[in-house]
Amino acid sequence: MKKIVYLPLDERPCNYDFCGFIVQNNNEINLVRPEKSDLGLKKTPAEYLSVKNFLSRECADADYLILAVDMLLYGGIVPSRLHHLSQEEIFQRVDFIGTLKRTNPQLKIFAFSLVMRCPTYSCGDEEPDYYGTYGEQIFRYGVNEHKFIDKLITKEQYEAEKKWLNVPQEFLNDYVSRRKVNLAALLRTLKLVGKDVDEFLILQDDSNPYGFTALDQRRVREFTQSENINIEVHSGADEGGLTLLARTLTQIKGYSPKICPVYPKEECKNVIPLFEDREVYKNIRAQIESAGATVADENDAEIYLFCNLPVGEMHNIDKPEGKQYDDRDLPAFVKKAENLAKSGKVVAVADIAYSNGGDIKFAKMLSKSIGLLNLGGYAGWNTSSNALGTVICQATFFRFYGNTKTHRLFTAERVYEDISYCAYVRKYIWDNELETLHCTYFNSNGQRGAVSERAEQLLNEFTSREFPEIYEKFKISDCYMPWSRLFEIGLKIEER
């Protein structure tokens, strides 16, 4: 068996559990993770010495390391936006990566890191507390800086906007100084590529064409060009571990699966997903290639990746309507998938018509025509990139191992979570029951309790009614709220 050490981006199920789930009962891969309790909790960072000791111990005899750099440097994705670590201390942590390689020269290190995001909205749930009051202004401050640098506005316009935004200087200094340190750490890590780090991904969540994040992306591109490092920044974050797990598998197998993206209409490929900054086809290509697969045409493909997208502007899952959705011609799209599946082809589904949840109507059509459990993979959670990285990894494992019990369990979990919870239960509780449950969207009064109990009840009711194919074979064995809020849910699924 190949030993793969995995340091996740944080302790949430999408980062910690998904990779462990997808390799369970695999007789070729032994995935080793830290204890979840050692990885911090949301704004509380993982303890660095614990992470360092885990890596030193487990990498000494490992074949591969899948490394979330932000967990090593800052203690997780949210702590990366909150820390007050010095540049010197962070650089020492970067240099530790080389120590792992020198201790075990045979170790292959596949790593990923993020360009720090800058949300467009005011919310301090995953940002510094002051972002709850001044977040939108800080974002617009960055846009103003960017446009002035690029000479898109006059100095008078620049000064007027800065005065109008009126962000307190102490908050702006804190925010900008952290971005500067994080960017320096990313550039220092990039210097390891091709030496200590074998494969590297630069991911970006919540991105926009202008602002602090776009300026940092530009600096990264300038650096990689000057250093002759062939890496592009592409959209994503929480799927990074899954993407590199798929890439590891393709290296173990010595083969790159051929994946063909399929769209409802040709113009769908030019949609710019919510929270992303480029046409979706560019990111689909990047996600496929980052996973160690090859983009193929329809005549040469082994996996057909059906990408459910609107013919126009994307909506959040709470607004499932509009002409751009009517114009998809879903019956023809599903029929094409059905015909390919009947001919023995592998059909996987990236359900990315909406952000933050799967398309109930589309998924029901697939269930009745092909059967969700016969797909080579399915995902439809959070951002387009999150879903893409998840389904591409699952489809890659399907390509090599087939329709295993683990594969079907993972698909069932995606249905319970991505469709039943994200597209229905979350909004139902938010709209109708939070006050009764004495909770708020950002406070479910703990991981387990009235909210998780009610969520599980509604999940069972909805899934049994809308997706009997899944409900009759699989049940929920655990249901909790990982960050004690309504946004995400933690589930464990088992056979009935």
Side-chain angles (χ1 to χ4, degrees):
M1 296 182 74
K2 295 292 184 182
K3 181 179 178 181
I4 303 173
V5 176
Y6 174 46
L7 185 67
L9 185 57
D10 64 33
E11 81 291 349
R12 284 174 298 160
C14 58
N15 285 310
Y16 186 88
D17 292 332
F18 285 10
C19 283
F21 192 149
I22 216 162
V23 301
Q24 65 183 356
N25 302 316
N26 188 300
N27 60 12
E28 293 185 334
I29 292 173
N30 174 30
L31 189 78
V32 180
R33 298 168 289 175
E35 293 295 323
K36 188 181 288 190
S37 57
D38 289 337
L39 293 179
L41 178 63
K42 198 178 180 179
K43 287 191 172 185
T44 302
E47 205 274 314
Y48 173 67
L49 284 179
S50 176
V51 171
K52 180 181 179 182
N53 291 338
F54 164 79
L55 291 174
S56 296
R57 180 176 68 252
E58 296 297 343
C59 288
D61 62 349
D63 298 290
Y64 294 89
L65 167 63
I66 298 174
L67 176 66
V69 173
D70 296 66
M71 170 57 77
L72 175 65
L73 303 190
Y74 315 111
I77 184 172
V78 174
S80 74
R81 307 165 189 157
L82 307 172
H83 71 88
H84 293 94
L85 298 165
S86 68
Q87 181 171 296
E88 180 183 10
E89 185 173 358
I90 293 174
F91 278 13
Q92 290 174 354
R93 296 181 181 188
V94 172
D95 295 344
F96 169 69
I97 298 171
T99 303
L100 297 172
K101 192 81 164 186
R102 288 188 289 275
T103 301
N104 178 5
Q106 304 307 311
L107 179 70
K108 292 185 177 180
I109 299 178
F110 291 5
F112 70 99
S113 189
L114 310 181
V115 178
M116 183 176 160
R117 75 177 190 176
C118 183
T120 61
Y121 47 86
S122 295
C123 180
D125 186 55
E126 296 181 30
E127 315 295 327
D129 290 345
Y130 57 76
Y131 214 90
T133 303
Y134 295 102
E136 184 180 355
Q137 291 97 310
I138 290 172
F139 166 75
R140 293 179 63 177
Y141 192 100
V143 172
N144 193 44
E145 294 287 316
H146 190 165
K147 289 186 174 181
F148 182 63
I149 290 171
D150 285 1
K151 300 180 180 179
L152 298 174
I153 56 176
T154 66
K155 185 172 180 59
E156 290 75 19
Q157 290 172 315
Y158 167 71
E159 293 293 350
E161 175 76 355
K162 193 159 61 167
K163 183 178 180 180
W164 184 83
L165 289 171
N166 194 30
V167 180
Q169 196 63 44
E170 61 178 305
F171 298 151
L172 194 61
N173 290 345
D174 175 77
Y175 187 78
V176 171
S177 64
R178 186 176 299 107
R179 294 199 68 94
K180 183 178 179 181
V181 169
N182 286 13
L183 177 60
L186 175 55
L187 300 185
R188 189 173 181 92
T189 307
L190 278 167
K191 287 181 175 288
L192 303 178
V193 174
K195 302 166 188 172
D196 299 319
V197 174
D198 299 270
E199 305 281 354
F200 195 73
L201 302 181
I202 310 172
L203 301 178
Q204 174 65 69
D205 63 341
D206 274 21
S207 47
N208 288 272
Y210 295 99
F212 286 121
T213 298
L215 286 171
D216 284 353
Q217 285 188 36
R218 176 185 293 177
R219 181 69 187 93
V220 169
R221 285 193 296 270
E222 291 170 350
F223 182 85
T224 55
Q225 290 170 5
S226 67
E227 298 287 326
N228 293 317
I229 301 171
N230 187 26
I231 298 175
E232 290 288 338
V233 180
H234 69 265
S235 302
D238 292 323
E239 81 291 343
L242 287 162
T243 299
L244 288 179
L245 178 61
R247 192 178 189 93
T248 303
L249 179 61
T250 63
Q251 291 229 352
I252 291 171
K253 292 292 189 178
Y255 186 78
S256 178
K258 299 173 184 177
I259 300 178
C260 175
V262 184
Y263 304 94
K265 295 283 184 68
E266 185 65 18
E267 52 264 48
C268 293
K269 68 194 300 182
N270 294 315
V271 169
I272 299 177
L274 293 179
F275 313 112
E276 299 185 3
D277 62 359
R278 66 202 71 184
E279 295 89 343
V280 71
Y281 79 89
K282 296 177 181 178
N283 212 47
I284 290 170
R285 174 177 290 274
Q287 290 279 354
I288 290 171
E289 293 175 347
S290 295
T294 303
V295 179
D297 60 32
E298 290 197 21
N299 297 322
D300 195 36
E302 300 167 278
I303 300 167
Y304 293 82
L305 181 63
F306 275 67
C307 301
N308 181 25
L309 285 156
V311 188
E313 182 184 4
M314 182 180 290
H315 285 178
N316 194 62
I317 190 61
D318 60 351
K319 296 180 180 178
E321 56 188 24
K323 186 176 184 299
Q324 66 269 49
Y325 290 96
D326 297 336
D327 289 349
R328 288 177 293 175
D329 193 359
L330 282 185
F333 191 50
V334 171
K335 188 63 178 178
K336 183 172 185 176
E338 181 183 4
N339 290 339
L340 283 167
K342 285 181 176 178
S343 69
K345 304 296 184 181
V346 177
V347 173
V349 172
D351 197 353
I352 52 177
Y354 305 95
S355 64
N356 291 315
D359 184 339
I360 296 171
K361 177 182 176 181
F362 174 59
K364 287 175 68 174
M365 293 170 69
L366 287 170
S367 182
K368 291 177 181 177
S369 60
I370 302 172
L372 295 170
L373 295 173
N374 295 322
L375 295 173
Y378 173 89
W381 64 282
N382 206 2
T383 69
S384 168
S385 293
N386 293 154
L388 283 164
T390 304
V391 69
I392 290 168
C393 179
Q394 187 187 11
T396 301
F397 273 76
F398 187 95
R399 162 63 180 79
F400 292 114
Y401 301 110
N403 197 353
T404 63
K405 175 183 175 181
T406 296
H407 175 83
R408 293 189 296 276
L409 275 169
F410 193 76
T411 299
E413 183 180 286
R414 302 273 50 75
V415 174
Y416 271 106
E417 181 175 346
D418 301 2
I419 305 172
S420 298
Y421 184 76
C422 293
Y424 175 74
V425 171
R426 177 173 58 201
K427 187 175 189 301
Y428 183 88
I429 293 177
W430 190 4
D431 288 346
N432 301 288
E433 301 191 355
L434 276 181
E435 186 175 346
T436 304
L437 295 169
H438 305 293
C439 295
T440 67
Y441 187 88
F442 291 110
N443 184 1
S444 64
N445 286 337
Q447 293 185 332
R448 290 177 169 82
V451 174
S452 62
E453 290 171 5
R454 181 59 176 146
E456 182 173 355
Q457 181 183 6
L458 289 168
L459 283 169
N460 284 321
E461 291 174 1
F462 180 83
T463 309
S464 64
R465 181 174 69 247
E466 304 294 344
F467 297 97
E469 171 198 1
I470 301 299
Y471 183 80
E472 291 168 4
K473 294 183 175 68
F474 302 96
K475 65 180 180 180
I476 300 170
S477 60
D478 191 20
C479 177
Y480 65 102
M481 320 309 289
W483 278 358
S484 300
R485 64 182 187 182
L486 213 57
F487 183 70
E488 64 272 284
I489 198 164
L491 294 174
K492 289 186 179 178
I493 306 299
E494 61 183 32
E495 290 183 331
R496 289 193 181 275

